[in-house]
């Protein structure tokens, strides 16, 4: 069994992570630490786990008692916690805060927690893993096969539509960022990762955000010019994602019910041959494939489990 601790529980990503971990067949959730919530029952703070968990939130978590720690607090919290923790040699850390999402790559300590890009690293080398930002993750999955084949050679426009649970309300901040700052941060993360995937990529990336009424939905439309025929692009995408367990190419309009409460990302390709404009649509559950599900996926790889363990979840169907 993988012994797990969670630091920080005052966030929707922590609640979703708890729900996944307590139902994971190879995980024992040993403790949840949050000084501000210490002494409270976890099943009071996290909806949907009554009768499944009797843990009480602790003021401190013994690092020597677990195999992996998830950081689920805000960005400033995660940076402070990493600077203060003395990590046992065999302890793994998975950071969901986004504070290290541009601190990975060759000769850097963090691994980028996207299996579709970094599976070998996650399986063989990773000790510190940073989970991609949700809008960045969907955007990258939309264009990653093109980047890996050195086919991104024009400006990229990303239209992101996201559920209300991720963006701060108008005039407020989340993790210390306004909605505008958050959008810029996601854009910069996409640019950073694309330049790692395709060294020749030097085109501008622009990212705009709209709000969706659906709480769990994240949809991206990535647009750029491409001179390759639609059939060849479709074949390239099918081949790239053929051995990945959670990304699927579909040839029909994307339906929210297909991805809600699952760890899937669905992708649809739309090529206008007359103008050369390629639009790649990607949709996922913002709290699962866009956050907690991706974090559990990374853990499975790090500990030698099948990727789908604990993540064969059920869509809404409506």
């Amino acid at each position: 069994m993988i012994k797990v601790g969670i630091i920080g529980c005052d966030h929707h990503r922590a609640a979703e992570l708890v729900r996944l971990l307590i139902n994971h067949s190879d995980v024992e959730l040993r403790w949840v630490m949050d000084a501000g919530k210490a002494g409270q029952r976890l099943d009071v703070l996290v909806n949907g786990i009554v009768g499944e968990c009797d843990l009480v939130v602790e003021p401190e978590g013994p690092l020597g008692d677990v195999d992996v720690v998830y950081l689920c607090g805000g960005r400033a919290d995660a940076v402070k916690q990493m600077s203060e923790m003395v990590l046992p040699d065999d302890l793994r850390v998975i950071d969901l805060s986004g504070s290290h999402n541009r601190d990975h790559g060759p000769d850097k300590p963090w691994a980028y927690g996207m299996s579709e890009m970094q599976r070998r690293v996650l399986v063989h080398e990773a000790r510190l893993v940073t989970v991609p930002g949700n809008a960045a993750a969907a955007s990258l999955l939309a264009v990653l096969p093109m980047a890996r084949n050195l086919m991104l050679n024009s400006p990229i426009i990303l239209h992101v539509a996201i559920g209300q649970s991720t963006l701060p309300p108008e005039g407020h901040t989340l993790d210390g960022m306004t909605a505008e700052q958050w959008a810029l941060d996601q854009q910069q993360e996409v640019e950073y990762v694309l330049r790692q995937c395709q060294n020749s990529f030097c085109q501008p990336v622009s990212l705009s955000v709209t709000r969706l009424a659906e709480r769990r939905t994240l949809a991206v439309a990535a647009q750029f010019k491409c001179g390759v025929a639609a059939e060849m692009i479709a074949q390239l995408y099918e081949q790239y994602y053929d051995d990945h367990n959670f990304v699927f190419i579909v040839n029909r309009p994307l339906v929210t019910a297909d991805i809600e409460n699952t760890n899937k990302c669905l992708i649809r390709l739309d090529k206008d041959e007359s103008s050369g404009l390629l639009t790649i649509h990607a949709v996922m559950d913002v709290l699962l494939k866009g956050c907690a599900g991706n974090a559990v996926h990374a853990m499975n790889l790090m500990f030698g489990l099948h990727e789908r363990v604990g993540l064969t979840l059920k869509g809404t169907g409506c």
Side-chain angles (χ1 to χ4, degrees):
M1 295 289 279
I2 304 170
K3 298 185 289 294
V4 174
I6 296 175
I7 299 179
C9 67
D10 191 20
H11 201 289
H12 60 265
R13 57 186 167 227
E16 198 71 18
L17 180 64
V18 166
R19 286 188 283 267
L20 289 175
L21 292 177
I22 64 173
N23 289 292
H24 192 297
S25 60
D26 291 271
V27 163
E28 178 187 358
L29 181 57
R30 300 295 293 268
W31 48 259
V32 176
M33 170 190 143
D34 191 318
K37 302 288 184 180
Q40 299 187 48
R41 284 182 59 92
L42 196 58
D43 59 6
V44 173
L45 297 172
V46 177
N47 294 331
I49 64 169
V50 173
E52 300 177 48
C53 180
D54 59 2
L55 287 178
V56 174
V57 179
E58 305 288 344
E60 295 182 1
L63 298 180
D65 193 39
V66 294
D67 302 306
V68 58
V69 168
Y70 288 91
L71 303 182
C72 289
R75 295 192 173 205
D77 295 331
V79 171
K80 183 173 184 291
Q81 288 155 1
M82 285 301 300
S83 68
E84 294 176 348
M85 285 193 296
V86 179
L87 302 180
D89 291 340
D90 57 350
L91 181 68
R92 320 287 180 90
V93 177
I94 301 177
D95 180 14
L96 283 77
S97 74
S99 56
H100 299 96
N101 283 358
R102 295 195 296 279
D103 190 24
H104 57 87
D107 303 319
K108 293 191 176 182
W110 291 86
Y112 198 57
M114 177 176 282
S115 75
E116 294 83 6
M117 169 187 163
Q118 293 276 78
R119 183 157 56 189
R120 185 191 64 80
V121 172
L122 292 171
V123 170
H124 297 292
E125 303 172 18
R127 183 188 176 207
L128 306 178
V129 172
T130 181
V131 176
N134 39 42
S139 300
L140 290 166
L141 289 173
V143 301
L144 193 55
M146 304 295 287
R148 287 300 200 194
N149 287 276
L150 309 181
M151 294 169 64
L152 292 179
N153 301 301
S154 64
I156 299 174
I157 300 173
L158 301 170
H159 301 284
V160 177
I162 195 162
Q164 299 285 359
S165 59
T166 295
L167 288 178
E170 297 291 348
H172 294 75
T173 62
L174 181 68
D175 288 347
M177 291 186 289
T178 64
E180 292 75 18
Q181 291 170 330
W182 177 86
L184 178 60
D185 179 77
Q186 298 292 297
Q187 175 183 306
Q188 291 173 340
E189 182 178 338
V190 172
E191 292 173 332
Y192 180 87
V193 175
L194 286 181
R195 289 186 172 93
Q196 290 188 348
C197 295
Q198 180 179 324
N199 291 335
S200 62
F201 181 70
C202 58
Q203 299 292 331
V205 176
S206 62
L207 184 150
S208 61
V209 179
T210 57
R211 298 173 186 264
L212 286 176
E214 297 91 339
R215 176 174 170 268
R216 302 188 67 101
T217 301
L218 168 58
V220 168
Q223 294 183 314
F224 53 92
K225 290 289 185 70
C226 177
V228 180
E231 285 188 7
M232 292 185 63
I233 296 171
Q235 185 179 27
L236 182 152
Y237 271 73
E238 291 285 358
Q239 291 175 346
Y240 188 89
Y241 287 121
D242 180 60
D243 65 341
H244 291 282
N245 284 278
F246 296 109
V247 182
F248 303 94
I249 314 304
V250 298
N251 295 316
R252 58 173 173 78
L254 300 179
V255 179
T256 300
D258 283 338
I259 52 87
E260 284 185 344
N261 299 315
T262 79
N263 199 52
K264 300 174 186 176
C265 174
L266 302 187
I267 292 176
R268 181 170 65 88
L269 307 171
D270 184 10
K271 176 75 185 295
D272 184 341
E273 298 291 1
S274 62
S275 67
L277 184 66
L278 175 62
T279 303
I280 308 169
H281 302 272
V283 63
M284 64 172 62
D285 186 308
V286 69
L287 298 177
L288 287 168
K289 183 60 174 169
C291 190
N294 207 12
V296 172
H297 186 179
M299 178 195 71
N300 286 345
L301 292 172
M302 294 167 76
F303 287 91
L305 302 178
H306 190 279
E307 293 180 62
R308 293 180 63 86
V309 175
L311 292 169
T312 52
L313 308 173
K314 184 173 183 252
T316 60
C318 61

